[in-house]
Short mmCIF file of all heavy atoms in Angstrom, two decimals:
data_model
loop_
_atom_site.label_atom_id
_atom_site.label_comp_id
_atom_site.label_asym_id
_atom_site.label_seq_id
_atom_site.Cartn_x
_atom_site.Cartn_y
_atom_site.Cartn_z
N ARG A 1 -48.05 -22.52 71.71
CA ARG A 1 -47.73 -21.31 71.02
C ARG A 1 -46.58 -21.54 70.02
O ARG A 1 -45.73 -22.43 70.22
CB ARG A 1 -47.13 -20.18 71.95
CG ARG A 1 -48.20 -19.62 72.87
CD ARG A 1 -47.66 -18.46 73.76
NE ARG A 1 -46.38 -18.72 74.29
CZ ARG A 1 -45.48 -17.77 74.58
NH1 ARG A 1 -45.82 -16.50 74.36
NH2 ARG A 1 -44.31 -17.96 75.09
N ARG A 2 -46.51 -20.77 68.95
CA ARG A 2 -45.53 -20.98 67.94
C ARG A 2 -44.50 -19.79 68.06
O ARG A 2 -44.87 -18.65 68.41
CB ARG A 2 -46.12 -20.90 66.53
CG ARG A 2 -47.13 -22.06 66.26
CD ARG A 2 -47.82 -21.87 64.97
NE ARG A 2 -48.59 -23.00 64.65
CZ ARG A 2 -49.67 -23.02 63.81
NH1 ARG A 2 -50.01 -21.91 63.19
NH2 ARG A 2 -50.33 -24.14 63.62
N ARG A 3 -43.31 -20.19 67.78
CA ARG A 3 -42.25 -19.19 67.68
C ARG A 3 -42.07 -18.91 66.18
O ARG A 3 -41.78 -19.80 65.37
CB ARG A 3 -41.02 -19.61 68.25
CG ARG A 3 -39.91 -18.48 68.41
CD ARG A 3 -38.80 -18.83 69.29
NE ARG A 3 -37.89 -17.74 69.40
CZ ARG A 3 -37.07 -17.62 70.42
NH1 ARG A 3 -36.90 -18.62 71.27
NH2 ARG A 3 -36.24 -16.52 70.43
N TYR A 4 -42.20 -17.57 65.82
CA TYR A 4 -42.01 -17.20 64.38
C TYR A 4 -40.63 -16.70 64.15
O TYR A 4 -40.09 -15.92 65.00
CB TYR A 4 -43.07 -16.17 64.03
CG TYR A 4 -44.49 -16.81 63.83
CD1 TYR A 4 -45.36 -16.91 64.87
CD2 TYR A 4 -44.85 -17.29 62.55
CE1 TYR A 4 -46.59 -17.44 64.77
CE2 TYR A 4 -46.05 -17.82 62.40
CZ TYR A 4 -46.97 -17.91 63.48
OH TYR A 4 -48.16 -18.43 63.33
N TYR A 5 -40.08 -16.93 63.02
CA TYR A 5 -38.77 -16.52 62.59
C TYR A 5 -38.85 -15.81 61.25
O TYR A 5 -39.61 -16.10 60.42
CB TYR A 5 -37.80 -17.72 62.41
CG TYR A 5 -37.74 -18.61 63.74
CD1 TYR A 5 -38.58 -19.62 63.95
CD2 TYR A 5 -36.74 -18.34 64.61
CE1 TYR A 5 -38.46 -20.37 65.09
CE2 TYR A 5 -36.58 -19.11 65.78
CZ TYR A 5 -37.47 -20.12 65.96
OH TYR A 5 -37.32 -20.89 67.15
N ARG A 6 -37.86 -14.85 61.15
CA ARG A 6 -37.77 -14.13 59.87
C ARG A 6 -36.31 -13.49 59.78
O ARG A 6 -35.74 -13.12 60.76
CB ARG A 6 -38.75 -12.96 59.85
CG ARG A 6 -38.66 -12.11 58.64
CD ARG A 6 -39.71 -10.99 58.56
NE ARG A 6 -39.50 -10.12 59.72
CZ ARG A 6 -40.48 -9.38 60.20
NH1 ARG A 6 -41.59 -9.39 59.75
NH2 ARG A 6 -40.23 -8.68 61.27
N LEU A 7 -35.73 -13.61 58.58
CA LEU A 7 -34.46 -13.01 58.41
C LEU A 7 -34.60 -11.55 58.44
O LEU A 7 -35.55 -11.00 57.82
CB LEU A 7 -33.91 -13.44 57.07
CG LEU A 7 -33.38 -14.89 56.92
CD1 LEU A 7 -33.09 -15.23 55.47
CD2 LEU A 7 -32.12 -15.07 57.72
N ASN A 8 -33.72 -10.82 59.14
CA ASN A 8 -33.80 -9.35 59.13
C ASN A 8 -33.06 -8.91 57.78
O ASN A 8 -32.46 -9.80 57.11
CB ASN A 8 -33.18 -8.76 60.38
CG ASN A 8 -31.74 -9.16 60.59
OD1 ASN A 8 -30.89 -9.18 59.69
ND2 ASN A 8 -31.50 -9.64 61.83
N PRO A 9 -33.22 -7.71 57.39
CA PRO A 9 -32.61 -7.28 56.08
C PRO A 9 -31.10 -7.61 55.93
O PRO A 9 -30.72 -8.11 54.96
CB PRO A 9 -32.88 -5.79 56.05
CG PRO A 9 -34.13 -5.59 56.92
CD PRO A 9 -33.99 -6.57 58.01
N GLU A 10 -30.33 -7.38 57.03
CA GLU A 10 -28.94 -7.68 56.91
C GLU A 10 -28.70 -9.15 56.86
O GLU A 10 -27.82 -9.63 56.16
CB GLU A 10 -28.17 -7.06 58.13
CG GLU A 10 -26.64 -7.41 58.12
CD GLU A 10 -25.94 -6.84 59.36
OE1 GLU A 10 -26.45 -5.93 60.00
OE2 GLU A 10 -24.86 -7.28 59.52
N GLY A 11 -29.52 -9.93 57.66
CA GLY A 11 -29.40 -11.39 57.62
C GLY A 11 -29.74 -11.96 56.27
O GLY A 11 -29.03 -12.93 55.86
N ALA A 12 -30.73 -11.44 55.68
CA ALA A 12 -31.11 -11.90 54.27
C ALA A 12 -30.03 -11.70 53.34
O ALA A 12 -29.62 -12.56 52.52
CB ALA A 12 -32.40 -11.20 53.81
N GLU A 13 -29.33 -10.53 53.37
CA GLU A 13 -28.27 -10.24 52.52
C GLU A 13 -27.08 -11.14 52.74
O GLU A 13 -26.55 -11.73 51.84
CB GLU A 13 -27.85 -8.77 52.66
CG GLU A 13 -26.71 -8.39 51.68
CD GLU A 13 -26.97 -8.58 50.19
OE1 GLU A 13 -28.23 -8.49 49.78
OE2 GLU A 13 -26.08 -8.88 49.38
N ARG A 14 -26.79 -11.35 54.05
CA ARG A 14 -25.67 -12.28 54.42
C ARG A 14 -25.95 -13.70 54.02
O ARG A 14 -25.09 -14.37 53.62
CB ARG A 14 -25.42 -12.15 55.91
CG ARG A 14 -24.86 -10.76 56.26
CD ARG A 14 -24.46 -10.55 57.64
NE ARG A 14 -23.21 -11.30 57.98
CZ ARG A 14 -22.66 -11.45 59.12
NH1 ARG A 14 -23.28 -10.90 60.20
NH2 ARG A 14 -21.55 -12.10 59.26
N ALA A 15 -27.25 -14.07 54.18
CA ALA A 15 -27.65 -15.42 53.74
C ALA A 15 -27.43 -15.69 52.31
O ALA A 15 -26.87 -16.72 51.86
CB ALA A 15 -29.15 -15.73 54.22
N ARG A 16 -27.86 -14.70 51.51
CA ARG A 16 -27.66 -14.79 50.01
C ARG A 16 -26.17 -14.92 49.68
O ARG A 16 -25.84 -15.69 48.82
CB ARG A 16 -28.28 -13.53 49.31
CG ARG A 16 -29.77 -13.57 49.26
CD ARG A 16 -30.38 -12.40 48.51
NE ARG A 16 -31.78 -12.27 48.71
CZ ARG A 16 -32.36 -11.48 49.60
NH1 ARG A 16 -31.59 -10.55 50.35
NH2 ARG A 16 -33.65 -11.45 49.73
N MET A 17 -25.36 -14.07 50.30
CA MET A 17 -23.90 -14.10 50.09
C MET A 17 -23.32 -15.50 50.47
O MET A 17 -22.54 -16.03 49.75
CB MET A 17 -23.21 -12.90 50.73
CG MET A 17 -23.57 -11.58 50.13
SD MET A 17 -22.84 -10.06 50.80
CE MET A 17 -21.96 -10.56 52.24
N ALA A 18 -23.70 -15.95 51.66
CA ALA A 18 -23.21 -17.15 52.16
C ALA A 18 -23.55 -18.40 51.30
O ALA A 18 -22.79 -19.25 51.03
CB ALA A 18 -23.67 -17.47 53.60
N LEU A 19 -24.79 -18.38 50.80
CA LEU A 19 -25.28 -19.44 49.89
C LEU A 19 -24.52 -19.36 48.53
O LEU A 19 -24.19 -20.39 47.97
CB LEU A 19 -26.75 -19.31 49.64
CG LEU A 19 -27.59 -19.76 50.89
CD1 LEU A 19 -29.07 -19.52 50.63
CD2 LEU A 19 -27.37 -21.20 51.20
N ALA A 20 -24.29 -18.16 48.02
CA ALA A 20 -23.46 -17.99 46.86
C ALA A 20 -22.03 -18.57 46.99
O ALA A 20 -21.55 -19.21 46.08
CB ALA A 20 -23.44 -16.52 46.40
N VAL A 21 -21.43 -18.27 48.12
CA VAL A 21 -20.06 -18.73 48.38
C VAL A 21 -20.08 -20.26 48.47
O VAL A 21 -19.22 -20.98 47.88
CB VAL A 21 -19.48 -18.10 49.71
CG1 VAL A 21 -18.28 -18.81 50.15
CG2 VAL A 21 -19.16 -16.61 49.45
N ALA A 22 -21.12 -20.77 49.22
CA ALA A 22 -21.13 -22.22 49.35
C ALA A 22 -21.38 -22.98 47.95
O ALA A 22 -20.76 -24.01 47.69
CB ALA A 22 -22.29 -22.67 50.29
N SER A 23 -22.18 -22.34 47.14
CA SER A 23 -22.37 -22.86 45.77
C SER A 23 -21.12 -22.80 45.01
O SER A 23 -20.78 -23.76 44.24
CB SER A 23 -23.56 -22.07 45.14
OG SER A 23 -23.75 -22.54 43.75
N ALA A 24 -20.44 -21.71 45.08
CA ALA A 24 -19.11 -21.59 44.33
C ALA A 24 -18.16 -22.63 44.78
O ALA A 24 -17.42 -23.28 43.95
CB ALA A 24 -18.62 -20.21 44.48
N LYS A 25 -18.13 -22.92 46.06
CA LYS A 25 -17.21 -23.89 46.58
C LYS A 25 -17.54 -25.30 46.08
O LYS A 25 -16.67 -26.07 45.72
CB LYS A 25 -17.19 -23.94 48.12
CG LYS A 25 -16.46 -22.70 48.70
CD LYS A 25 -16.48 -22.76 50.26
CE LYS A 25 -15.78 -21.63 50.87
NZ LYS A 25 -15.83 -21.67 52.26
N ARG A 26 -18.88 -25.62 46.06
CA ARG A 26 -19.30 -26.90 45.48
C ARG A 26 -18.98 -27.04 43.99
O ARG A 26 -18.46 -28.09 43.57
CB ARG A 26 -20.81 -27.07 45.75
CG ARG A 26 -21.24 -27.57 47.04
CD ARG A 26 -22.64 -28.04 47.09
NE ARG A 26 -23.61 -27.14 46.58
CZ ARG A 26 -24.15 -26.09 47.18
NH1 ARG A 26 -23.76 -25.81 48.46
NH2 ARG A 26 -24.98 -25.31 46.59
N SER A 27 -19.12 -25.96 43.29
CA SER A 27 -18.81 -25.98 41.89
C SER A 27 -17.29 -26.25 41.64
O SER A 27 -16.91 -26.96 40.77
CB SER A 27 -19.18 -24.66 41.22
OG SER A 27 -20.56 -24.56 41.22
N ALA A 28 -16.48 -25.54 42.44
CA ALA A 28 -15.03 -25.70 42.40
C ALA A 28 -14.61 -27.12 42.75
O ALA A 28 -13.81 -27.71 42.01
CB ALA A 28 -14.32 -24.69 43.27
N LEU A 29 -15.20 -27.75 43.75
CA LEU A 29 -14.96 -29.11 44.15
C LEU A 29 -15.36 -30.06 42.97
O LEU A 29 -14.61 -30.98 42.63
CB LEU A 29 -15.66 -29.50 45.41
CG LEU A 29 -15.48 -30.88 45.97
CD1 LEU A 29 -14.04 -31.13 46.22
CD2 LEU A 29 -16.35 -31.13 47.19
N ARG A 30 -16.47 -29.79 42.39
CA ARG A 30 -16.91 -30.69 41.26
C ARG A 30 -15.92 -30.60 40.02
O ARG A 30 -15.64 -31.57 39.40
CB ARG A 30 -18.26 -30.24 40.73
CG ARG A 30 -19.37 -30.87 41.52
CD ARG A 30 -20.68 -30.58 40.84
NE ARG A 30 -21.69 -30.40 41.88
CZ ARG A 30 -22.29 -29.21 42.19
NH1 ARG A 30 -21.96 -28.18 41.51
NH2 ARG A 30 -23.18 -29.18 43.20
N ALA A 31 -15.39 -29.39 39.82
CA ALA A 31 -14.37 -29.21 38.76
C ALA A 31 -13.11 -29.92 39.04
O ALA A 31 -12.50 -30.53 38.15
CB ALA A 31 -14.17 -27.71 38.52
N LEU A 32 -12.68 -29.87 40.24
CA LEU A 32 -11.45 -30.56 40.68
C LEU A 32 -11.59 -32.10 40.81
O LEU A 32 -10.69 -32.81 40.47
CB LEU A 32 -10.94 -30.00 41.97
CG LEU A 32 -10.42 -28.54 42.00
CD1 LEU A 32 -10.16 -28.05 43.42
CD2 LEU A 32 -9.19 -28.41 41.11
N ARG A 33 -12.72 -32.49 41.28
CA ARG A 33 -12.96 -33.88 41.66
C ARG A 33 -14.34 -34.33 41.07
O ARG A 33 -15.26 -34.35 41.85
CB ARG A 33 -12.90 -34.16 43.11
CG ARG A 33 -11.57 -33.83 43.81
CD ARG A 33 -10.44 -34.77 43.47
NE ARG A 33 -10.74 -36.20 43.79
CZ ARG A 33 -10.30 -36.83 44.90
NH1 ARG A 33 -9.66 -36.14 45.75
NH2 ARG A 33 -10.66 -37.97 45.12
N PRO A 34 -14.48 -34.53 39.86
CA PRO A 34 -15.78 -34.76 39.20
C PRO A 34 -16.66 -35.89 39.92
O PRO A 34 -17.80 -35.84 39.94
CB PRO A 34 -15.45 -35.12 37.76
CG PRO A 34 -14.12 -34.58 37.52
CD PRO A 34 -13.37 -34.61 38.77
N GLY A 35 -15.96 -36.85 40.47
CA GLY A 35 -16.71 -37.98 41.06
C GLY A 35 -17.16 -37.62 42.51
O GLY A 35 -18.00 -38.36 43.10
N LEU A 36 -16.88 -36.48 43.03
CA LEU A 36 -17.27 -36.08 44.33
C LEU A 36 -18.37 -34.88 44.25
O LEU A 36 -18.47 -34.22 43.19
CB LEU A 36 -16.10 -35.52 45.18
CG LEU A 36 -14.98 -36.62 45.44
CD1 LEU A 36 -13.82 -35.99 46.22
CD2 LEU A 36 -15.60 -37.72 46.25
N ALA A 37 -18.94 -34.59 45.34
CA ALA A 37 -19.79 -33.40 45.43
C ALA A 37 -20.92 -33.45 44.37
O ALA A 37 -21.30 -32.39 43.88
CB ALA A 37 -19.01 -32.12 45.37
N GLY A 38 -21.50 -34.62 44.09
CA GLY A 38 -22.53 -34.66 43.19
C GLY A 38 -22.17 -34.50 41.69
O GLY A 38 -23.00 -34.39 40.81
N GLY A 39 -20.83 -34.52 41.41
CA GLY A 39 -20.39 -34.33 40.04
C GLY A 39 -20.53 -35.62 39.24
O GLY A 39 -20.84 -36.67 39.81
N THR A 40 -20.24 -35.56 37.97
CA THR A 40 -20.29 -36.76 37.14
C THR A 40 -18.83 -37.29 36.99
O THR A 40 -17.92 -36.60 37.23
CB THR A 40 -20.90 -36.52 35.81
OG1 THR A 40 -20.01 -35.48 35.16
CG2 THR A 40 -22.30 -35.91 35.88
N THR A 41 -18.76 -38.52 36.55
CA THR A 41 -17.45 -39.20 36.37
C THR A 41 -17.04 -39.24 34.94
O THR A 41 -16.07 -39.92 34.58
CB THR A 41 -17.45 -40.55 37.06
OG1 THR A 41 -18.46 -41.33 36.36
CG2 THR A 41 -17.61 -40.57 38.48
N SER A 42 -17.72 -38.54 34.07
CA SER A 42 -17.45 -38.66 32.65
C SER A 42 -16.18 -37.78 32.26
O SER A 42 -15.83 -36.90 32.89
CB SER A 42 -18.58 -38.26 31.75
OG SER A 42 -19.08 -36.98 32.14
#
């Protein structure tokens, strides 16, 4: 048998917000340390 999963409406909203925060943190890290977090060294 398979177990099925689905984000509930509140979970979907929280997931979108959490991913946006994580993306902003990665962007800030790239700005501070261009050689880290997938940034460029130019």
